[in-house]
Amino acid sequence: MITHTSDIDELIKNHNPFAGHFIVKSQQIWGNSFPDVPSINSHASNAVFDAVEKIRQGQRTTVGITITAEKGLGKSHIISRVRHRIKAEGDSLFIYMNKYDNLNQIKYEFLQNVASSLRAFGNQDVMQWQEIAAALINEVKQWDYTPQKYITQYPTWLRKFSHKFVEQLAKLVHSLIPELTNPYIVQAILWTLSPVHVNYANCWLAGLEITPEDARVMGLPNLNKEDRETESLRNVRQIINITSRYKIPVFCFDELDNADVADNGLTTAQVIGSLVKDLYNNLNKGIFLLTMYPETWNDQIRFLPQAEAAIDRLVSEQANRQPIDLKYLNADDIISLTQKWLQNFYQQHQINPPHSLYPFDETKLRSMGRGKPSSRVVLNWCAENFVPIGDSQKISPVQEYFDKELANVEASMTSLIHKEVEIADALRLAFKSLIGETLEGIKIESIAEIEPSAANNGFMDFKIIGNNGTVRIGLDVVQQDRHVISAALGRLIDYKRFNITRGCLVRSKTISTNAVLARNHLRKLLQEQGGEWVSLQSQDIKPLLAILFVYNQRQKNNLTEEQIFEFIEQKHLAKNNPLIREILSDPSGQEPTNLTDDGLPLSIPQSVATADNVELAL
């Protein structure tokens, strides 16, 4: 345990625990969170916990709670507190939505968010989907096995009974829930226990298309694209009613204050308010938590069609039919918040500081309380003033911002591995930082856009120009399948039209042998045109994504482009990155060997303490 002030001051010079934590990100909602002071705005989080308890005891079936607060007051902090409490207790499901890309297809997007949320691990260290699947089998077979036991058992059952045993199990489960109109939902949930099929089952449950072969093996029909919105809502209701047999679903809708408007003239908050009203009326049980600015409530929710009916459901627990307001911090709150962050920081580094607020002055912190600041304002002040006592020199915050972003990336690689735009932008930034450098025999001179842009239609991401223009690598990150991968590869082999000397595909997933056109394009790229397929590995792209997110927030965090490029160079983030070097190296002409079926860096439990088999009688 370090106790010397000089050693503590040296640590403070090199580490700033407050940097990069002014805005709560979705990764922190799901993964490792930030230090939380439960007493701050406890009235809001307790309203959710009380609602869970009432449903648990059978006093209520459905509850709507709306929280209003100005920017930075801690709306997302409350949701994070709810998520981590729910995970610890284990008898509720957490479903989170904070992005609304297409308001005209909100039911389809909601289905995807439900499926994505249930993919997250619960307190049994398996996906929430897998917890529900195990509960279904246990109920119908009157067993009491853990999800891990079933995950281990599935390969044995598949060898013994083929895939038909899942269909038979689904029929048995369906007899428990005869009101279900789509029995395939149960079947897909049961498939999540198979380590080989879990990712395809997840895609199907999210309303995404899977290959005809995978659908045939699992006995699942693909979603009807013609009626996707209606079918998505119907399916999501049934999914929730199935899951609510065993756990209380808690739906959290965050970031509702954007200016987007649907074709019917409704804003994001109004679209979600209408969706919640419908779900409230049609679900067996659940809690709906919405967060928004006060003006969003007053100017948008109160002017919804049939506003009275919607408001009754969005604030069903408030006697005055008004949302719960969050409070600004007082002096005691500021001290508690700062102490908590510092306590976590010093414990992590095994430090015993001179006092619990070191290096801050308690009087100065308390004086901030007179201005009634938000949590964001306090944390921002702490970040700017976290320097050793008597040391006025400001510390470059790039390292701290990078560390925070890297932790967020680590927590959310499951979703980030599919984000083609973000991955391409991260690679673009890395190559931009290398202009003037020579790697793998190529002197990088510039990064160029793809022309003609109309013919490219957004497929290839950019060109790497080097060696006096004699090397022109067209790069495309493609994680999608079927028609998209075929079209992308079609551009990568058209060297003449796009003025490239090498096409480079960056992808972590295999390409199905059923994708005949894509396979033909790939053969031509690798075997005839000297192109390359570089395997996208999560460990290689993580630091590049982290520094990209720092770069995107540079103005908000008072960082310069020069500081960030200097940091990339000092840490050799680009120069020593295997993915960057593989893109520049001489093509092998072969497909990568380290690919996965879906590209997801997931850890699926494969074993349990006992190896005893479970005899399945169908």
Side-chain angles (χ1 to χ4, degrees), residues 130-144:
Q130 293 167 325
E131 293 178 359
I132 297 301
L136 287 168
I137 299 176
N138 283 338
E139 183 178 3
V140 75
K141 299 294 293 182
Q142 296 185 332
W143 289 341
D144 189 25

Side-chain angles (χ1 to χ4, degrees), residues 56 158 225-226 245 290 302 304 451 462 540 544:
R56 193 180 285 146
L158 281 170
K225 291 183 179 180
E226 302 299 323
R245 291 173 63 88
L290 292 79
R302 296 181 66 86
L304 267 172
E451 299 292 344
F462 57 88
D540 299 335
L544 303 185

Side-chain angles (χ1 to χ4, degrees), residues 71-320:
K71 184 183 299 185
L73 266 182
K75 297 184 293 295
S76 297
H77 283 75
I78 298 297
I79 291 180
S80 176
R81 184 182 299 166
V82 169
R83 154 63 181 166
H84 288 84
R85 169 88 166 258
I86 282 174
K87 183 178 180 182
E89 292 181 347
D91 65 348
S92 300
L93 294 171
F94 181 81
I95 297 164
Y96 181 66
M97 188 168 184
N98 72 331
K99 290 185 178 180
Y100 315 92
D101 296 326
N102 189 344
L103 295 178
N104 301 312
Q105 295 187 6
I106 197 64
K107 299 177 183 69
Y108 178 54
E109 284 203 356
F110 180 59
L111 172 63
Q112 291 182 308
N113 275 269
V114 168
S116 175
S117 295
L118 295 179
R119 187 185 182 100
F121 280 25
N123 74 335
Q124 299 183 53
D125 291 327
V126 297
M127 295 178 190
Q128 295 181 100
W129 277 127
Q130 293 167 325
E131 293 178 359
I132 297 301
L136 287 168
I137 299 176
N138 283 338
E139 183 178 3
V140 75
K141 299 294 293 182
Q142 296 185 332
W143 289 341
D144 189 25
Y145 293 115
T146 64
Q148 289 92 338
K149 181 67 175 178
Y150 287 121
I151 291 168
T152 304
Q153 194 66 42
Y154 256 55
T156 300
W157 286 345
L158 281 170
R159 287 193 298 271
K160 186 173 182 179
F161 301 110
S162 80
H163 64 277
K164 294 294 183 182
F165 88 88
V166 179
E167 294 180 23
Q168 294 299 317
L169 268 179
K171 289 178 181 177
L172 292 175
V173 171
H174 192 251
S175 66
L176 293 174
I177 321 171
E179 66 271 18
L180 280 181
T181 59
N182 187 350
Y184 295 110
I185 291 174
V186 169
Q187 195 161 311
I189 293 174
L190 293 175
W191 274 115
T192 64
L193 291 169
S194 168
V196 176
H197 302 91
V198 55
N199 296 315
Y200 306 111
N202 269 292
C203 286
W204 188 91
L205 287 162
L208 302 174
E209 188 175 1
I210 60 177
T211 65
E213 176 61 20
D214 292 324
R216 184 191 64 78
V217 168
M218 294 192 291
L220 300 173
N222 266 315
L223 192 68
N224 181 6
K225 291 183 179 180
E226 302 299 323
D227 197 20
R228 187 161 64 179
E229 271 291 272
T230 302
E231 194 170 345
S232 293
L233 183 59
R234 186 183 301 119
N235 286 351
V236 82
R237 286 173 181 161
Q238 294 184 71
I239 286 171
I240 296 167
N241 282 333
I242 292 170
T243 58
S244 64
R245 291 173 63 88
Y246 310 102
K247 293 176 181 282
I248 302 167
V250 180
F251 305 91
C252 297
F253 298 92
D254 202 7
E255 308 289 344
L256 293 172
D257 308 286
N258 63 55
D260 295 343
V261 178
D263 290 348
N264 60 8
L266 298 181
T267 65
T268 300
Q270 291 174 324
V271 167
I272 294 301
S274 299
L275 175 65
V276 169
K277 174 176 172 288
D278 179 278
L279 293 170
Y280 191 105
N281 293 338
N282 289 282
L283 298 185
N284 294 336
K285 69 170 95 168
I287 296 169
F288 300 94
L289 174 61
L290 292 79
T291 67
M292 63 188 72
Y293 298 153
E295 56 267 28
T296 302
W297 174 267
N298 292 323
D299 299 341
Q300 297 179 28
I301 298 298
R302 296 181 66 86
F303 288 93
L304 267 172
Q306 299 180 320
E308 294 300 312
I311 289 172
D312 284 342
R313 289 156 178 79
L314 299 183
V315 290
S316 64
E317 290 299 283
Q318 278 72 276
N320 59 358

